[in-house]
Amino acid sequence: MGIFNYFRSKKTSAQVAKNRLQIIVAHERAENSGYDFLPQLRREILCVVQKYVSVELDHIRIDVSKEGNCEVLEFNVTLPERR
Amino acid sequence: MAHIIVVTSGKGGVGKTTTSASLATGLALRGFSVAVLDFDVGLRNLDLIMGCERRVVYDFVNVIQGDATLNQALIRDKRVDKLYILAASQTKDKDALTPEGVERVLAELSDRVDYIICDSPAGIEHGAMMAMYFADEAIVVTNPEVSSVRDSDRVLGLLQSKTRKAREGGSVREHLLLTRYDPIRVERGEMLSVEDVQEILAIPLLGVIPESKSVLQASNSGEPVILDAGSDAGQAYADAVARLLGEEREHRFLKPVKKGLFSRLFGG
């Protein structure tokens, strides 16, 4: 990339391509993690969490990411605002 | 025991067969015995790229179904010693590539050659899965273009979960081969750079093959482009073969060739 791109505010089409790819690839990796049990696991976690707080299925996110040789299974539960 | 290498990509038209032909030829030029197998049942093309289309008598499916022996079906290359081609079937159903049949052919070949190169069909259907299933190493051929990179990532996911190595708790060794690379367009910001693609796919880089007229010329005449030693693509493939064998080679053809004043004035 030339030095002139630094002064250009508009992104090059290659930069746009890279950003779009990073997003879609991350999304698809989570979906195709190779673990078929993830949707069921998500529903069961919902049941457990619901015993204590009221949350919806949409509030639980599961991601599988790779860090070096390790695979990391990540849960994110968004709790409702406390009244 | 032969080393089994699958050349795969997901997307079609990115250069799998061109790559299979050149890597197989390159390994044979280095003195190894090599068999290159076409897994694209119904749409065989490796024979054309290798220039042996008129010599195909028996094919992969014939061997699996016991209509021919491996010896009868293997086509010996006329240019390079110890290089053999096994053509795909043009007429049979693609399900004719049974896992047991493929395993048996690979096992039989394994005793006779040093390297087996599996040229995968496009897509992620049966033929592509059969090509990758028994692999020790995978060369993922990618163009610097969004759909190809996305498909390559999908294929990497399959290599990491649906192969024999993965099922046995190991892993297939993955390599990225970036093809049809145009440094001028990369410099202008019109094409993903090798760094961009590497950052997204996160696998080691085996080589970068520049966009080159010599690739079409090679396929026109049925000569693997690596035999065109004067061409940039041929040299880039020779470098890739060297890296596959563990040699250190600096990546070339990543920057535009600076034209001199003379050629800029008179066009060259």
Side-chain angles (χ1 to χ4, degrees):
Chain A
M1 212 184 300
I3 191 162
F4 294 107
N5 289 323
Y6 273 113
F7 304 108
R8 232 189 271 164
S9 56
K10 203 166 166 278
K11 277 187 177 176
T12 65
S13 67
Q15 287 172 309
V16 174
K18 187 183 176 188
N19 291 342
R20 290 175 62 216
L21 270 170
Q22 281 172 324
I23 293 165
I24 190 67
V25 160
H27 183 77
E28 287 179 343
R29 273 182 201 164
E31 270 184 0
N32 298 313
S33 59
Y35 298 112
D36 309 337
F37 57 79
L38 287 183
Q40 180 63 24
L41 179 64
R42 188 156 160 250
R43 279 191 293 274
E44 286 178 24
I45 285 174
L46 177 71
C47 292
V48 176
V49 177
Q50 270 178 338
K51 281 200 221 170
Y52 305 95
V53 265
S54 127
V55 292
E56 302 286 323
L57 192 61
D58 293 353
H59 296 139
I60 299 182
R61 264 190 54 191
I62 298 187
D63 288 312
V64 182
S65 57
K66 221 174 174 189
E67 285 173 18
N69 285 329
C70 287
E71 270 192 294
V72 179
L73 184 61
E74 190 181 7
F75 295 97
N76 272 300
V77 184
T78 314
L79 294 176
E81 277 184 50
R82 269 202 244 191
R83 258 166 270 161
Chain B
M1 277 298 281
H3 213 62
I4 304 176
I5 303 174
V6 61
V7 177
T8 183
S9 71
K11 192 176 183 299
V14 296
K16 284 182 295 296
T17 303
T18 297
T19 297
S20 298
S22 276
L23 293 185
T25 305
L27 286 166
L29 285 170
R30 290 296 201 93
F32 295 100
S33 56
V34 185
V36 56
L37 278 54
D38 193 346
F39 278 74
D40 203 347
V41 173
L43 292 170
R44 80 165 170 233
N45 276 317
L46 180 67
D47 54 338
L48 269 180
I49 301 301
M50 293 294 296
C52 63
E53 69 278 7
R54 308 254 322 246
R55 295 166 61 207
V56 178
V57 181
Y58 294 110
D59 57 52
F60 202 163
V61 174
N62 291 141
V63 179
I64 286 179
Q65 295 182 338
D67 301 329
T69 64
L70 199 49
N71 263 336
Q72 289 173 305
L74 283 177
I75 302 166
R76 181 194 290 267
D77 190 87
K78 286 191 168 163
R79 296 155 298 216
V80 186
D81 204 26
K82 294 193 285 184
L83 174 59
Y84 305 91
I85 300 114
L86 183 57
S89 170
Q90 195 65 316
T91 52
K92 298 277 173 43
D93 184 36
K94 65 180 185 324
D95 294 327
L97 288 181
T98 59
E100 302 75 32
V102 173
E103 185 172 20
R104 189 166 48 77
V105 171
L106 291 179
E108 197 177 332
L109 268 175
S110 213
D111 297 331
R112 304 170 41 168
V113 297
D114 302 313
Y115 285 93
I116 301 173
I117 310 285
C118 302
D119 183 21
S120 173
I124 51 174
E125 299 296 314
H126 182 72
M129 300 312 293
M130 281 299 102
M132 73 168 66
Y133 189 77
F134 300 99
D136 300 306
E137 297 192 42
I139 294 169
V140 180
V141 182
T142 307
N143 289 171
E145 178 271 323
V146 287
S147 55
S148 175
V149 176
R150 180 201 212 171
D151 290 357
S152 292
D153 190 71
R154 183 87 177 85
V155 161
L156 286 168
L158 296 171
L159 285 165
Q160 289 155 11
S161 60
K162 307 277 188 216
T163 53
R164 179 167 70 176
K165 275 245 148 60
R167 296 211 161 134
E168 288 171 354
S171 61
V172 176
R173 191 164 165 228
E174 298 154 343
H175 307 272
L176 172 64
L177 188 76
L178 204 56
T179 55
R180 308 202 66 167
Y181 196 70
D182 185 342
I184 295 174
R185 303 200 72 184
V186 171
E187 198 167 75
R188 287 191 199 136
E190 296 172 2
M191 182 181 267
L192 290 165
S193 70
V194 56
E195 293 84 7
D196 291 340
V197 178
Q198 261 196 292
E199 194 183 321
I200 291 163
L201 296 179
I203 58 171
L205 182 67
L206 181 69
V208 178
I209 313 298
E211 174 78 61
S212 167
K213 289 177 179 169
S214 52
V215 172
L216 182 58
Q217 280 169 350
S219 79
N220 285 344
S221 53
E223 294 252 319
V225 71
I226 198 168
L227 291 175
D228 184 359
S231 70
D232 45 3
Q235 290 171 24
Y237 273 118
D239 286 354
V241 169
R243 290 189 202 104
L244 201 57
L245 295 171
E247 297 169 22
E248 293 271 341
R249 289 282 171 101
E250 205 174 330
H251 290 280
R252 296 191 274 171
F253 315 110
L254 301 182
K255 293 270 173 257
V257 182
K258 293 275 183 280
K259 281 189 175 178
L261 181 65
F262 185 83
S263 56
R264 254 193 269 178
L265 283 177
F266 300 102

